[in-house]
Amino acid sequence: DQQVKQNSPSLSVQEGRISILNCDYTNSMFDYFLWYKKYPAEGPTFLISISSIKDKNEDGRFTVFLNKSAKHLSLHIVPSQPGDSAVYFCAASEVTGGFKTIFGAGTRLFVKA
Amino acid sequence: GAGVSQTPSNKVTEKGKYVELRCDPISGHTALYWYRQSLGQGPEFLIYFQGTGAADDSGLPNDRFFAVRPEGSVSTLKIQRTERGDSAVYLCASSLTLSGSAGEQFFGPGTRLTVL
């Protein structure tokens, strides 16, 4: 039972354009969402997060949008840079139930120069 | 400062053997997590420690898997009677648990376990 789904295994974007990575979840008890970025042979690194009391959080070129009614979140990267090429994982947790975090399968982003 | 470290970086073992994987979290981080990542998948939660106690071990696949954190810092993931299906990258992460927040997790580079 995949509680966090990233349906696009890969995405290719031209440098300077917007990258939009999508994530859907099924557990309505999730109340904290995170995006992690992973380069080969390294562990994931935290990128940005959002609490369920918000619908948007922005940090520089990265913005996360949360649509609770649709159980959907997205990560926007503007402008995309070649160094952004990595695997991006969406993750969710139910804070009131502890800090067990469920990850999606990831989307590999290619930013072409 | 030092990040999360994991040893060994690679471990090759034979089916049926016992293995121990070690994680050194960031100093001062009270929460420690173990995940398993198979090829093409995201990290799969195994167990979470708050201090010395396992707060949630619901992700451990069966009783061959066990983890300890006796002094609230270093943790060891132990796998008995390894099977080929245990082959994966085992990731450790640590975090400061903050009130009202799951807290950003800092991941180590992982231990790649191969069971022949």
Side-chain angles (χ1 to χ4, degrees):
Chain A
D1 175 29
Q2 272 188 298
Q3 297 187 63
V4 178
K5 300 179 185 179
Q6 294 177 257
N7 292 319
S8 298
S10 65
L11 174 68
S12 185
V13 171
Q14 196 68 36
E15 180 180 10
R17 306 295 291 268
I18 184 171
S19 295
I20 300 176
L21 296 96
N22 293 302
C23 178
D24 297 291
Y25 61 96
T26 58
N27 187 344
S28 58
M29 298 300 291
F30 286 145
D31 50 13
Y32 195 72
F33 304 89
L34 310 96
W35 285 92
Y36 283 83
K37 174 177 169 179
K38 186 181 183 304
Y39 293 116
E42 295 181 9
T45 56
F46 171 77
L47 197 55
I48 193 169
S49 63
I50 188 167
S51 163
S52 61
I53 62 173
K54 295 186 174 181
D55 55 17
K56 176 182 174 182
N57 189 26
E58 193 171 352
D59 183 2
R61 296 185 298 113
F62 303 91
T63 303
V64 56
F65 295 92
L66 175 62
N67 182 334
K68 282 182 293 183
S69 60
K71 295 192 181 69
H72 177 85
L73 63 155
S74 61
L75 174 69
H76 292 210
I77 307 173
V78 182
S80 301
Q81 299 173 354
D84 296 331
S85 297
V87 177
Y88 290 78
F89 292 103
C90 170
S93 65
E94 184 188 337
V95 176
T96 52
F99 299 115
K100 177 177 177 177
T101 305
I102 306 299
F103 282 77
T107 296
R108 183 176 297 276
L109 175 65
F110 299 92
V111 180
K112 298 175 288 187
Chain B
V4 177
S5 63
Q6 293 186 245
T7 53
S9 55
N10 280 284
K11 176 71 178 178
V12 180
T13 190
E14 293 179 341
K15 180 174 177 291
K17 299 289 189 183
Y18 168 81
V19 295
E20 289 190 353
L21 312 179
R22 177 187 167 108
C23 173
D24 280 87
I26 292 172
S27 177
H29 279 194
T30 58
L32 185 146
Y33 310 75
W34 282 100
Y35 295 87
R36 176 170 70 175
Q37 186 175 17
S38 301
L39 196 63
Q41 300 298 314
E44 174 194 4
F45 172 83
L46 296 177
I47 186 170
Y48 154 67
F49 288 88
Q50 175 65 13
T52 60
D56 186 339
D57 64 358
S58 62
L60 295 177
N62 52 59
D63 61 7
R64 295 187 298 106
F65 288 75
F66 189 70
V68 295
R69 194 186 186 199
E71 297 177 358
S73 179
V74 170
S75 177
T76 305
L77 178 66
K78 308 180 181 194
I79 311 175
Q80 298 178 320
R81 305 183 303 280
T82 52
E83 300 178 356
R84 293 193 179 89
D86 298 336
S87 297
V89 175
Y90 288 81
L91 293 164
C92 175
S94 69
S95 72
L96 285 168
T97 50
L98 304 172
S99 175
S101 165
E104 171 191 346
Q105 293 179 34
F106 295 83
F107 281 82
T111 293
R112 181 174 296 280
L113 175 67
T114 303
V115 182
L116 301 176

